[in-house]
Amino acid sequence: MKKYRRIFLIVLDSLGIGAMPDADRFGDAGADTFGHILDVTGPLEIPNLRRLGLLNLHPSKVMAGVDKPEGLYARLRESGNTKDTMGGHWEMMGLRTEKPFKTFTETGFPKELIDELEKCCGKKVIGNKAASGTEILEELAEEEIRSNSMIVYTSADSVLQIAGNEEHFDLANLYRCCEIARDLTMRDEWKVGRVIARPYVGEKKGEFVRTSNRRDYAVKPFGPTAMDALKDAGLDVIAVGKIHDIFSGQGITEWMHSDSSVHGMQQTEELAGRDFRGLCFVNLVDFDALWGHRRDPAGYGRELEKFDVELGKLRKLLGPEDLLMLTADHGNDPTYRGTDHTRECVPLLVWSPGEIRTGELEEQDSFSIIGATIAENFGVTMPEGTQGKSILTKICPV
């Protein structure tokens, strides 16, 4: 059976393709990120995604599939009890999450946590609510600078974010406070998936801009993953975008920060020109952060079109010993109520310039087939405690 020298796994963060059977349990019955985007935008210029079978997998009344898809495609269900970024990515690499991380979207953080944070950091907390990162700066940044306080806020995700002015707060101090917050939020009753430092510059309303000095402090995976197995076998595991943060650096041999989803694809194209053996794991967060949470289907559609342009460039750079896998980690229907992720199936599109089977694969009951398939391709054993059944034989001609 054919084996691939390099595998490029790209996650279009939040591109769900319809509610999972248990979506009602999560309050997400009827959600459909990709389908509802098309309902709003009409046909999109996404020729590469169409050729790889996305519209065959999830046809729309405004866009149809192609007669002869160039790749293999399947619908994946998440087996874990989550609909968040970390749960979705960890499951891809073999870890099933039973207990979701805490969210404080409706209530803000408990007084006991805020009191501890103020005591340990030596600063008063302002905010303590769910908010857009840009909006809360307009509301509270002048007060933060004036009163030498710190802005603490959350979102629909399991996250505690601290915003601080780079000049007045000082980056090193902001990072110190986030490290304190990470320690505090390891307690079960306060356990969030990530603490994020959100530095910004500016002195008054209308001038505040977040900088690229963001830093994430994520909970480590609760066990070894397929990435650890690859790394331990001496293979390359290159992380692009948010992957390093999601896995707290575990199982990664090299990583690079991305300023945007387009930048992440450009970095991936540069990596395609390098000689390595192993996995290039990419997260493209703008779909989720800029458009899904902000409930902007038109913006989401434009982001898909920009991605498709870069996807076309990447495909030209890959050779017969390369395998491309496109997927998502959850849904975030921009037409749905609220601003939370949505419990949806996700697509898996698989393609190689070399020989590969094409057409639709039966629906899979876990994201973990991805990690198991990658592990089998490189001849490594999935770590104890992981799940997943490889579909390599269904991808490669015998």
Side-chain angles (χ1 to χ4, degrees):
M1 183 173 60
K2 178 181 175 65
K3 297 293 183 72
Y4 299 98
R5 180 174 176 80
R6 305 187 301 181
I7 295 180
F8 293 81
L9 172 59
I10 301 176
V11 180
L12 284 69
D13 200 309
S14 83
L15 187 66
I17 54 170
M20 279 182 51
D22 65 354
D24 188 54
R25 183 165 62 91
F26 291 78
D28 296 330
D32 183 356
T33 300
F34 183 55
H36 289 158
I37 289 168
L38 292 177
D39 288 345
V40 172
T41 64
L44 295 173
E45 286 294 322
I46 49 173
N48 289 286
L49 286 169
R50 285 192 71 214
R51 292 188 193 109
L52 297 185
L54 180 58
L55 272 300
N56 295 74
L57 181 63
H58 193 57
S60 161
K61 61 187 178 184
V62 299
M63 287 188 75
V66 295
D67 291 337
K68 293 183 178 180
E70 297 173 8
L72 185 74
Y73 48 93
R75 182 180 296 262
L76 308 184
R77 299 194 303 271
E78 185 170 6
S79 65
N81 191 35
T82 72
K83 57 175 181 177
D84 61 43
T85 296
M86 292 171 68
H89 283 76
W90 290 2
E91 183 163 315
M92 291 177 205
M93 294 296 112
L95 296 180
R96 183 182 188 275
T97 304
E98 291 285 353
K99 187 177 181 181
F101 294 108
K102 297 283 187 181
T103 58
F104 297 92
T105 312
E106 302 299 327
T107 62
F109 297 103
K111 181 179 184 300
E112 294 79 7
L113 171 56
I114 296 299
D115 288 346
E116 283 285 322
L117 193 58
E118 290 180 333
K119 177 183 175 182
C120 295
C121 294
K123 282 180 173 284
K124 178 185 176 183
V125 167
I126 57 175
N128 190 23
K129 61 182 180 179
S132 155
T134 52
E135 291 174 358
I136 205 162
L137 292 183
E138 287 300 295
E139 178 187 351
L140 295 176
E142 287 184 349
E143 180 183 346
E144 187 230 331
I145 295 170
R146 183 176 63 252
S147 63
N148 192 32
S149 53
M150 62 181 178
I151 302 169
V152 174
Y153 66 108
T154 188
S155 69
D157 292 334
S158 177
V159 62
L160 184 153
Q161 304 183 79
I162 302 179
N165 187 283
E166 288 199 1
E167 182 177 347
H168 299 279
F169 199 126
D170 180 63
L171 266 179
N173 195 27
L174 174 61
Y175 295 155
R176 179 187 70 89
C177 292
C178 287
E179 289 166 5
I180 291 169
R182 177 69 280 174
D183 288 341
L184 291 172
T185 55
M186 290 305 293
R187 301 183 194 178
D188 282 344
E189 65 269 27
W190 300 337
K191 197 167 190 177
V192 294
R194 285 175 294 156
V195 171
I196 305 178
R198 290 287 196 176
Y200 68 93
V201 293
E203 297 293 330
K204 60 183 180 181
K205 289 182 179 180
E207 295 180 353
F208 298 121
V209 178
R210 294 196 294 190
T211 75
S212 61
N213 290 317
R214 163 181 169 163
R215 186 171 291 181
D216 290 47
Y217 302 82
V219 175
K220 287 183 178 295
F222 54 83
T225 72
M227 295 158 66
D228 293 288
L230 296 174
K231 181 180 179 181
D232 291 347
L235 294 155
D236 295 302
V237 182
I238 305 172
V240 178
K242 214 167 59 168
I243 298 298
H244 182 273
D245 297 330
I246 293 168
F247 290 89
S248 290
Q250 183 176 309
I252 293 169
T253 61
E254 179 184 348
W255 68 281
M256 49 190 69
H257 167 78
S258 303
D259 294 331
S260 67
S261 290
V262 169
H263 182 220
M265 284 299 293
Q266 291 169 344
Q267 290 171 312
T268 306
E269 291 157 26
E270 291 173 7
L271 288 166
R274 278 175 40 182
D275 182 27
F276 68 90
R277 182 168 179 259
L279 173 65
C280 176
F281 195 176
V282 183
N283 173 276
L284 306 177
V285 71
D286 287 353
F287 298 104
D288 185 54
L290 297 185
W291 316 117
H293 284 306
R294 296 183 186 180
R295 294 301 186 248
D296 185 346
Y300 206 129
R302 290 191 298 270
E303 194 72 42
L304 284 169
E305 291 180 328
K306 288 190 289 185
F307 165 76
D308 198 273
V309 171
E310 299 303 324
L311 176 59
K313 296 177 184 177
L314 177 63
R315 291 181 70 194
K316 293 177 181 177
L317 297 172
L318 300 184
E321 291 188 310
D322 297 325
L323 184 70
L324 175 66
M325 306 176 82
L326 305 179
T327 191
D329 51 345
H330 51 71
N332 197 346
D333 187 340
T335 70
Y336 212 67
R337 60 180 176 269
T339 59
D340 199 358
H341 295 154
T342 42
R343 175 81 166 177
E344 296 183 50
C345 296
V346 302
L348 176 64
L349 309 179
V350 184
W351 175 80
S352 173
E355 288 186 290
I356 187 172
R357 297 182 192 275
T358 61
E360 186 167 5
L361 184 66
E362 64 270 17
E363 186 169 312
Q364 303 292 310
D365 60 5
S366 173
F367 297 174
S368 58
I369 66 161
I370 295 172
T373 299
I374 294 169
E376 184 184 7
N377 177 79
F378 291 109
V380 302
T381 302
M382 289 287 286
E384 185 176 352
T386 57
Q387 66 173 19
K389 183 172 66 174
S390 172
I391 58 168
L392 190 64
T393 58
K394 298 182 180 181
I395 295 172
C396 305
V398 177

